[in-house]
């Protein structure tokens, strides 16, 4: 019996190895993996972790901008910002739906966020102090998000890749909207341009941290690259963002808060000074200036929305009972 058990274990291991090899061959051939396809459990866990963090970031990211909806300087600006915040909520819903195809329920993921066990982008733990911050978020934060997310449209997992196509289209609009706010401020009064410069000074370094730790310290990059969940390394995406953004800032007439920022004429790349990774680790660990406020706001919204969830569940149950009764009658 013991020998039979060993033989069965060896057979199972061989079958798993064969499936894993076929799975990697599909990845290498640029096939899309769909929810009902066989996948390594580590691939599933990696996707749930990444997609849920992405979804949480979209939802928590509504808060710093929502703070300025009632204080926007004009009705036009208010309507545009309201539409943008609504878009971010929609992005979160797309992503939670993609995670659900992997067997993770939305309720489970939301509970992890509210309990403080799930992470979201460190950038959303910084405060929005002035209207210029809304411009800086659109230009810099959404610009960094686009740089991160466009490659995800080619992610190996089909539902995630397809969700990202619409997300990226809307994020592109948000980035242009933010840059237009910064341009208006920079062409306004000296006080308005100073406000734009102050926003750049405060948001530049946290935006560079959005791409994650340097490649030498990244825990997941190699595996995610192998499975084509990610297409570029953290440092590679960060460099692309800097190269695209610095000329835009110079056009605005703004100065970047990095005395070591230099353009290498041979490569065309911009080199930058050291990033404070200790600050990044502190913020990710929950030590951000607004971390407690962000989670408190999400918990409050969740509690106040309980009656909506209960009503929706009751309505769904009533419809199901009615449908079952009509089938029995037929």
């Amino acid at each position: 019996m013991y020998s039979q058990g060993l033989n069965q274990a060896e057979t199972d291991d061989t079958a798993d190895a064969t499936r894993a090899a076929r799975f990697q061959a599909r990845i290498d051939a640029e096939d899309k993996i769909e929810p009902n396809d066989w996948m390594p459990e580590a691939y599933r866990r990696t996707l749930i972790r990444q997609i849920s963090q992405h979804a949480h970031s979209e939802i928590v990211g509504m808060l710093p901008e929502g703070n300025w909806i009632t204080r926007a300087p004009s009705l036009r600006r208010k309507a545009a910002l309201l539409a943008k915040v609504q878009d971010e909520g929609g992005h979160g819903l797309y992503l939670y739906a993609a995670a659900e195809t992997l067997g993770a329920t939305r309720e489970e993921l939301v509970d992890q966020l509210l309990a403080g066990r799930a992470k979201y982008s460190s950038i959303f733990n910084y405060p929005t102090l002035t209207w210029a911050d809304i411009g800086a978020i659109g230009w810099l934060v959404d610009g960094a998000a686009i740089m991160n997310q466009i490659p995800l449209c080619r992610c190996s997992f089909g539902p995630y890749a397809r969700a990202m196509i619409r997300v990226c289209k809307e994020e592109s609009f948000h980035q242009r909207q933010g840059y237009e706010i910064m341009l208006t401020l920079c062409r306004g009064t000296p006080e308005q341009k100073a406000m734009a410069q102050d926003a750049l000074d405060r948001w530049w370094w946290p935006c560079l941290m959005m791409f994650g730790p340097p490649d030498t310290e990244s825990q997941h990059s190699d595996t995610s690259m192998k499975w084509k969940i990610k297409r570029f390394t953290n440092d590679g995406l960060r460099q692309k963002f800097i190269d695209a953004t610095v000329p835009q800032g110079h056009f605005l007439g703004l100065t970047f808060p990095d005395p070591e920022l230099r353009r290498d004429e041979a490569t065309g790349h911009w080199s930058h000074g050291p990033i404070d990774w200790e600050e990044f680790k502190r913020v990710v660990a929950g030590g951000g200036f607004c971390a407690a406020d962000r989670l408190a706001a999400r918990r409050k919204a969740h509690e106040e929305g309980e009656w909506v969830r209960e009503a929706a569940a009751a309505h769904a149950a009533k419809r199901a009972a009615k449908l079952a009764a009509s089938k029995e009658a037929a």
Side-chain angles (χ1 to χ4, degrees):
M1 293 293 293
Y2 178 71
S3 175
Q4 289 178 350
L6 287 178
N7 290 338
Q8 183 61 48
E10 291 175 357
T11 301
D12 291 344
D13 290 344
T14 300
D16 286 345
T18 301
R19 284 194 291 262
R22 290 174 178 168
F23 174 83
Q24 189 60 50
R26 290 189 61 191
I27 296 289
D28 295 339
E30 300 290 343
D31 283 353
K32 284 286 182 285
I33 305 301
E34 299 299 338
N36 290 332
D37 295 339
W38 184 89
M39 63 186 73
E41 191 55 34
Y43 177 83
R44 184 187 306 275
R45 289 197 305 270
T46 298
L47 279 168
I48 291 173
R49 175 188 58 80
Q50 179 170 327
I51 297 173
S52 63
Q53 288 183 11
H54 192 166
H56 298 331
S57 298
E58 298 284 357
I59 298 301
V60 176
M62 299 166 68
L63 297 173
E65 293 176 303
N67 185 40
W68 279 90
I69 289 174
T70 58
R71 297 183 287 163
S74 69
L75 181 60
R76 171 175 167 268
R77 295 293 190 191
K78 181 179 293 188
L81 182 58
L82 186 62
K84 181 186 178 185
V85 172
Q86 179 177 290
D87 285 347
E88 306 294 358
H91 298 171
L93 295 180
Y94 305 152
L95 293 165
Y96 284 133
E100 285 180 317
T101 68
L102 292 160
T105 68
R106 188 173 311 188
E107 292 78 11
E108 172 188 11
L109 298 178
V110 171
D111 285 346
Q112 290 172 2
L113 172 64
L114 299 179
R117 298 194 306 272
K119 294 179 181 178
Y120 55 85
S121 179
S122 60
I123 197 71
F124 299 120
N125 283 330
Y126 291 87
T128 45
L129 304 179
T130 71
W131 173 251
D133 287 24
I134 302 304
I137 287 176
W139 171 37
L140 299 174
V141 176
D142 292 328
I146 291 168
M147 202 65 71
N148 257 319
Q149 293 171 6
I150 285 179
L152 291 176
C153 296
R154 297 187 291 121
C155 170
S156 59
F157 185 58
Y160 194 20
R162 290 188 288 272
M164 291 314 303
I165 292 173
R166 178 167 179 174
V167 170
C168 286
K169 287 179 180 178
E170 294 177 351
E171 292 288 7
S172 179
F173 175 78
H174 300 164
Q175 194 268 349
R176 291 196 298 272
Q177 176 185 330
Y179 190 75
E180 193 268 336
I181 290 174
M182 295 295 279
L183 182 63
T184 301
L185 291 171
C186 289
R187 290 181 175 177
T189 66
E191 291 80 9
Q192 288 173 322
K193 185 172 183 180
M195 191 164 63
Q197 180 64 61
D198 174 66
L200 174 58
D201 291 345
R202 286 183 288 107
W203 288 94
W204 177 246
W205 291 109
C207 281
L208 296 189
M209 297 176 194
M210 281 181 66
F211 296 94
D215 295 340
T216 54
E217 300 179 17
S218 179
Q219 299 178 2
H220 306 289
S221 282
D222 289 347
T223 303
S224 293
M225 295 277 287
K226 173 186 175 184
W227 283 331
K228 298 189 178 179
I229 297 172
K230 288 176 62 173
R231 296 283 178 158
F232 298 95
T233 65
N234 295 349
D235 288 336
L237 288 171
R238 189 168 14 251
Q239 187 64 61
K240 286 167 68 70
F241 172 73
I242 294 171
D243 290 343
T245 306
V246 170
Q248 295 171 356
H250 289 166
F251 179 81
L252 293 173
L254 299 176
T255 302
F256 287 85
D258 181 0
E260 298 183 36
L261 192 65
R262 299 284 187 279
R263 187 173 188 273
D264 185 329
E265 296 299 332
T267 63
H269 294 309
W270 288 85
S271 60
H272 60 85
I275 297 172
D276 185 355
W277 291 114
E278 291 305 313
E279 177 186 347
F280 172 76
K281 293 174 184 176
R282 178 179 60 80
V283 174
V284 168
F289 184 81
C290 296
D293 290 342
R294 299 291 185 245
L295 282 182
R298 289 309 313 153
R299 291 183 186 119
K300 181 174 182 290
H302 189 73
E303 291 168 1
E304 292 179 349
E306 184 175 0
W307 71 271
V308 179
R309 295 190 298 276
E310 290 177 350
H315 177 68
K318 186 175 180 180
R319 282 192 68 184
K322 187 176 180 180
L323 181 60
S326 64
K327 286 183 178 179
E328 287 181 5

